[in-house]
Amino acid sequence: MKRLFPCLASNFAQSDRDSKGRKANDTTAPSSSAASKFVQSDKDSKGRKADDTAAASSSAAPKGSNNYDVFLGFRGTDTRNTFVDHLYNNLVDAGICVFKDDDELCEGEEICTNLLVAIKNSKISIPVLSQNYAWSNACLQELVQMIECMKNTGQVVLPIFYRVEPADVRHQKGSFQEAFSHLRGKCSEEDVAKWKEALQEVASLKGWESEKIANGELKNFAFGPFVSTIAAQTRTSQLNNLKNYQI
């Protein structure tokens, strides 16, 4: 056959080799393409994971440099592990950036500059006035700073009267009277006068009275409407509406 049809045999052999070559290329090409796609997909996946991680970190961090939506001022021995802890968690869960100082100062210690800066750089200050609030120099100094920011920069101050009457805060009666009797002689008259004035100012503001709202029981506090209002205001920056907000 080869002798009779040399050209045909040659062409047949060449065609067979070309066919095998194409099959080999076809087998290699998809593998190379699949590998390339896999590498690209892996890169995209890692990129998405990195973006997701960055986004999560960003949402948990303060908005801007040392800027906060809310500053929480409170007496730790009264409310840190109860009311304030619940309030803080509800605010954070709503996406609100909150400054909460977890370091309780001892009697006579001066409030650190960082706390005063945090108050100045917050949109809303929430002092939680409780039985032993006035026994803390630091709490009183924080309150003075909040009132100054309210007057000078328009910061919203939303007080919560936790198991105390606003009248006792305004006129320094009950535990507040006891606290100032203790402070008298240990602190300057100028400081004491500032603290009393700040208490009078904050007691004249509309706020949340725990005894009227929840009968003094933590489980009865309706955090939802309170937190929702703050969240809406911080998102829209229409903070002046909070001055007329009643819980």
Side-chain angles (χ1 to χ4, degrees):
M1 173 70 77
K2 290 181 180 180
R3 286 195 298 271
L4 293 173
F5 304 102
C7 293
L8 180 61
S10 175
N11 290 340
F12 178 81
Q14 181 62 41
S15 175
D16 186 54
R17 286 194 298 271
D18 292 344
S19 177
K20 289 181 180 179
R22 283 196 299 272
K23 288 182 179 178
N25 290 337
D26 290 344
T27 302
T28 304
S31 299
S32 175
S33 176
S36 177
K37 289 180 180 179
F38 177 79
V39 171
Q40 183 61 40
S41 176
D42 186 54
K43 288 180 179 179
D44 292 342
S45 176
K46 289 180 179 178
R48 285 193 296 271
K49 288 180 180 178
D51 291 342
D52 291 344
T53 302
S57 300
S58 177
S59 64
K63 302 172 184 176
S65 177
N66 296 324
N67 289 336
Y68 302 91
D69 293 324
V70 170
F71 179 93
L72 271 180
F74 59 95
R75 183 67 198 272
T77 54
D78 288 347
T79 59
R80 181 188 304 280
N81 298 320
T82 52
F83 178 80
V84 166
D85 189 50
H86 284 269
L87 177 59
Y88 173 80
N89 288 329
N90 275 269
L91 291 169
V92 171
D93 288 345
I96 298 170
C97 185
V98 185
F99 182 95
K100 179 170 76 76
D101 181 32
D102 286 320
D103 297 321
E104 184 75 7
L105 296 178
C106 297
E107 182 179 354
E109 283 190 288
E110 291 295 323
I111 185 172
C112 67
T113 304
N114 288 344
L115 288 178
L116 298 179
V117 171
I119 294 171
K120 290 179 181 179
N121 290 338
S122 296
K123 298 174 183 176
I124 304 170
S125 283
I126 303 179
V128 181
L129 298 131
S130 56
Q131 288 286 335
N132 295 301
Y133 186 90
W135 287 83
S136 168
N137 294 12
C139 285
L140 294 170
Q141 290 176 55
E142 287 178 6
L143 186 62
V144 169
Q145 184 66 64
M146 293 177 197
I147 298 300
E148 287 181 359
C149 288
M150 180 184 72
K151 292 180 176 179
N152 298 330
T153 66
Q155 182 184 102
V156 173
V157 177
L158 182 62
I160 296 176
F161 302 95
Y162 184 74
R163 295 182 177 178
V164 296
E165 293 291 334
D168 289 347
V169 176
R170 183 181 298 109
H171 303 295
Q172 292 89 58
K173 294 182 179 179
S175 62
F176 286 83
Q177 182 179 18
E178 294 174 11
F180 275 97
S181 296
H182 173 76
L183 292 173
R184 193 171 293 114
K186 293 187 176 183
C187 304
S188 69
E189 292 184 5
E190 182 181 359
D191 283 339
V192 171
K194 284 183 180 180
W195 297 339
K196 285 187 174 183
E197 183 179 353
L199 288 170
Q200 291 170 0
E201 292 267 6
V202 77
S204 67
L205 300 175
K206 293 178 181 178
W208 190 0
E209 298 178 47
S210 69
E211 296 300 315
K212 290 184 179 180
I213 300 300
N215 296 321
E217 295 297 327
L218 177 62
K219 63 182 180 181
N220 294 329
F221 277 100
F223 287 108
F226 177 73
V227 173
S228 296
T229 299
I230 292 178
Q233 296 300 327
T234 55
R235 284 195 297 268
T236 61
S237 298
Q238 295 174 348
L239 298 178
N240 287 334
N241 292 338
L242 270 178
K243 294 179 180 179
N244 299 319
Y245 174 72
Q246 287 180 298
I247 300 172

